[in-house]
Amino acid sequence: MRSFATLGLIGAAALAAASDVHVLKQDTFKAFVESNDLVLAEFYAPWCGHCKALAPEYEEAATTLKEKNIPLAKIDCTEEADLCKDHGVEGYPTLKVFRGPTNPAVYPGQRKAQAIISYMTKQSLPAVSAVTKDTLEEFSASDKVVVVGYFAADDKTSNTTFTKVAETLRDSYLFGASSDAELAKKEGVTVPGFVLYKTFDEGKNVFSGKFEDAEITKFISASATPLVGEVGPETYAGYMESGIPLLYIFAEEASERESLAKELKDVAEKFKGKVSFATIDAKSFGQHAGNLNLEVGKWPAVAIQEIAKNQKFPFSQEEKVNAKNIEKFVNDFVSGAIEPSIKSEPIPESNDGPVTVIVAKNYDEIVLDDDKDVLVEFYAPWCGHCKALAPKYEELGALYGKKDKIVIAKVDATANDVPDEIQGFPTIKLFPAGKKKAPVDYQGSRTVEDLAEFIRDHGTYGVDGLKNKKSAVDDEDIAKATEGMPQQAMAASEKAKDSAESATEKAKETAEAATESAKTGAAKVAEKAKDAAEAVVEALTDDEGGQADHDEL
């Protein structure tokens, strides 16, 4: 009779055999990506918890995408270390989209089956797919959000404008187009125009503004966001990328979140495109309320985050969360009648160390100084990676001691409100002189050398801090090489003195031992002894009267 362990192994083997995810190795990888037009590859480690959580989602996506001839693959980086290194893998899981063996793109979506399916389906299609009256129903329902443009076949200007927007947003939305005038009329569109079809809220939105890329993009961003959505790990990035101020509704129970969403839906409709509304699970993500300057634990609670400037506007926790109060609060925000809440540590009394300390109250003064390249580390006190970086960052700061062109700075992003949206710690950004509106994110290794090279290559002044480090190292080497030389020289001098005195004394003794009758001979002996003593001193001195160099005495 077979044991349970044996049955388990057989089951695991059967499951592995049935997998639709291709296992790639160093000797099979290149041929596989060359033989497929589009491949999603996961670089993983078996011990990685996030990889384990992704596994069933990845399998589900692979099975669905197999029908569309879009293969999914995985590479075990504990076995294929060189292959993973070649593709710049620094964390697990790393997912990359390949269209051939070179220049892959990082997969930017959520690690969920439907998100992977949606994204890879979009990647497999042209930026804009042709749509007819026979395919519209199926195409418009093929994703959560689908945009279909309607314009005449000879309207090249509208076609170009729509295609440009589609190329920019193709990672997020599915785009189609039709030149069927009757179909456009049936869908309620005045050409040129478009319809955004969606699986939530009112089902579709018809665009009626100016057919220009900025207006089209703004409309799509607003319409693709649910009137009252939900903030979580899968949706947070989307809200941040939209650039639209976000109103958070914190509540612990799902039933209360649902009730508040229903009550505030009309308010959300009124401010659609100006403020997004979303509930958030206070049990799981309540600590985020502290980042919005709310009192954690006092629920329900509401706050608006102005994403573009990362400003926080907490709703008074002494007032009731209802449609009337929230409508007034949002109206005051939109009209500019309320000031943002700013959290800041005190400005340091002294800031002369190698790393300049930033707080909210001196942020603009230091970071936006247009005459200096400013490298800023946004950190959290509890962050292990930040603690590991600290001594290296101090060493980096020491390379630019004068702070006349380069400033190395840090800010505790948990204790200070900063205008930058920080999604992980440490986050490092360079704010170049003369280009403060275009900071450069640092993505390299956290070493002194790499950080210095980043400042040199992306800063306005091109200062090479490593030259200062090399100079300091050279000085240190010289100091070590000459260490103890003064003591050696002194010892050499003492030795010379002792030798001279000894020779003189011996000459004296020889002279005294001579008889009166041998005075002439004694004088000759004394003269020779004197010459010997002078020779000893001369041998231990250089041409200018100093002590000569000697390895040993």
Side-chain angles (χ1 to χ4, degrees), residues 59-236:
E59 283 287 351
E60 181 182 339
T63 300
T64 300
L65 291 171
K66 180 181 179 182
E67 300 173 1
K68 301 181 181 183
N69 294 318
I70 304 173
L72 269 59
K74 63 181 181 181
I75 299 92
D76 183 347
C77 291
T78 64
E79 294 184 357
E80 305 296 333
D82 290 341
L83 180 58
C84 295
K85 183 179 179 181
D86 290 344
H87 289 285
V89 177
E90 294 184 346
Y92 308 116
T94 293
L95 294 112
K96 295 197 174 189
V97 180
F98 287 84
R99 297 176 187 274
T102 58
N103 300 320
V106 175
Y107 168 73
Q110 303 162 21
R111 295 173 190 160
K112 296 291 183 181
Q114 290 307 311
I116 294 171
I117 293 166
S118 174
Y119 182 83
M120 294 305 293
T121 299
K122 297 184 190 81
Q123 295 301 304
S124 69
L125 298 172
V128 181
S129 299
V131 176
T132 67
K133 62 180 182 180
D134 296 325
T135 62
L136 176 62
E137 183 177 356
E138 180 182 356
F139 185 78
S140 62
S142 58
D143 205 3
K144 190 175 181 180
V145 174
V146 177
V147 183
V148 178
Y150 297 91
F151 35 81
D154 58 355
D155 185 352
K156 294 184 179 179
T157 300
S158 297
N159 191 353
T160 300
T161 300
F162 190 74
T163 301
K164 180 182 177 181
V165 173
E167 290 282 4
T168 303
L169 301 178
R170 65 176 299 171
D171 289 352
S172 301
Y173 311 112
L174 200 58
F175 286 83
S178 173
S179 58
D180 188 332
E182 288 298 317
L183 185 58
K185 185 177 180 180
K186 181 182 177 182
E187 293 299 309
V189 180
T190 300
V191 295
F194 68 88
V195 176
L196 184 142
Y197 301 91
K198 54 191 180 183
T199 59
F200 51 89
D201 292 341
E202 61 269 61
K204 74 176 187 178
N205 299 108
V206 179
F207 177 77
S208 58
K210 267 190 171 183
F211 209 79
E212 297 174 350
D213 55 359
E215 289 295 314
I216 294 171
T217 301
K218 183 179 178 182
F219 182 87
I220 291 173
S221 180
S223 300
T225 305
L227 286 176
V228 182
E230 183 173 6
V231 176
E234 293 81 22
T235 60
Y236 180 77

Side-chain angles (χ1 to χ4, degrees), residues 395-445:
E395 184 181 343
L396 178 71
L399 300 180
Y400 310 93
K402 293 183 179 180
K403 301 185 181 182
D404 53 343
K405 291 182 178 179
I406 310 295
V407 174
I408 308 301
K410 66 179 180 180
V411 57
D412 180 351
T414 67
N416 298 277
D417 286 335
V418 293
D420 311 87
E421 177 56 34
I422 306 303
Q423 298 187 26
F425 300 110
T427 290
I428 301 173
K429 294 174 180 279
L430 177 66
F431 295 80
K435 296 178 282 187
K436 297 298 179 177
K437 291 184 178 179
V440 186
D441 291 330
Y442 180 70
Q443 305 289 352
S445 300

Side-chain angles (χ1 to χ4, degrees), residues 195-482:
V195 176
L196 184 142
Y197 301 91
K198 54 191 180 183
T199 59
F200 51 89
D201 292 341
E202 61 269 61
K204 74 176 187 178
N205 299 108
V206 179
F207 177 77
S208 58
K210 267 190 171 183
F211 209 79
E212 297 174 350
D213 55 359
E215 289 295 314
I216 294 171
T217 301
K218 183 179 178 182
F219 182 87
I220 291 173
S221 180
S223 300
T225 305
L227 286 176
V228 182
E230 183 173 6
V231 176
E234 293 81 22
T235 60
Y236 180 77
Y239 279 112
M240 295 301 104
E241 290 168 2
S242 74
I244 300 173
L246 175 61
L247 182 141
Y248 295 84
I249 307 163
F250 287 87
E252 287 189 310
E253 302 300 329
S255 58
E256 186 176 18
R257 293 195 296 276
E258 186 178 343
S259 175
L260 287 170
K262 186 175 181 180
E263 181 174 356
L264 298 177
K265 190 171 183 178
D266 289 343
V267 181
E269 175 72 43
K270 182 176 181 179
F271 293 99
K272 183 177 179 179
K274 297 179 180 178
V275 178
S276 297
F277 284 57
T279 61
I280 181 169
D281 184 351
K283 280 185 178 178
S284 300
F285 311 111
Q287 290 302 316
H288 186 56
N291 298 331
L292 300 167
N293 300 345
L294 288 166
E295 181 183 340
V296 176
K298 197 171 183 178
W299 318 120
V302 170
I304 295 175
Q305 180 181 5
E306 167 53 272
I307 294 169
K309 300 178 182 178
N310 197 27
Q311 294 175 331
K312 291 82 178 275
F313 299 81
F315 175 70
S316 173
Q317 290 175 276
E318 304 304 319
E319 294 189 44
K320 186 174 177 59
V321 178
N322 58 32
K324 180 181 178 181
N325 290 340
I326 296 303
E327 181 173 353
K328 181 182 184 305
F329 172 63
V330 179
N331 191 62
D332 288 345
F333 165 77
V334 171
S335 64
I338 53 177
E339 294 292 324
S341 169
I342 298 177
K343 177 172 60 177
S344 178
E345 294 178 297
I347 295 177
E349 293 182 7
S350 174
N351 226 341
D352 299 327
V355 177
T356 299
V357 177
I358 299 171
V359 297
K361 292 178 180 178
N362 68 1
Y363 183 92
D364 289 356
E365 176 188 347
I366 295 172
V367 179
L368 302 186
D369 184 341
D370 219 29
D371 295 327
K372 296 177 182 178
D373 290 338
V374 184
L375 186 75
V376 182
E377 176 203 3
F378 300 86
Y379 75 96
W382 44 259
C383 164
H385 293 296
C386 304
K387 292 176 183 177
L389 174 63
K392 301 175 191 174
Y393 207 64
E394 289 283 330
E395 184 181 343
L396 178 71
L399 300 180
Y400 310 93
K402 293 183 179 180
K403 301 185 181 182
D404 53 343
K405 291 182 178 179
I406 310 295
V407 174
I408 308 301
K410 66 179 180 180
V411 57
D412 180 351
T414 67
N416 298 277
D417 286 335
V418 293
D420 311 87
E421 177 56 34
I422 306 303
Q423 298 187 26
F425 300 110
T427 290
I428 301 173
K429 294 174 180 279
L430 177 66
F431 295 80
K435 296 178 282 187
K436 297 298 179 177
K437 291 184 178 179
V440 186
D441 291 330
Y442 180 70
Q443 305 289 352
S445 300
R446 300 186 193 114
T447 65
V448 174
E449 291 75 18
D450 286 343
L451 285 163
E453 289 175 0
F454 174 73
I455 294 169
R456 180 196 66 198
D457 296 342
H458 297 279
T460 297
Y461 298 111
V463 175
D464 187 358
L466 294 176
K467 283 186 178 180
N468 297 332
K469 183 178 181 182
K470 186 178 186 301
S471 176
V473 169
D474 289 345
D475 290 344
E476 184 179 344
D477 289 342
I478 293 171
K480 287 181 178 179
T482 58

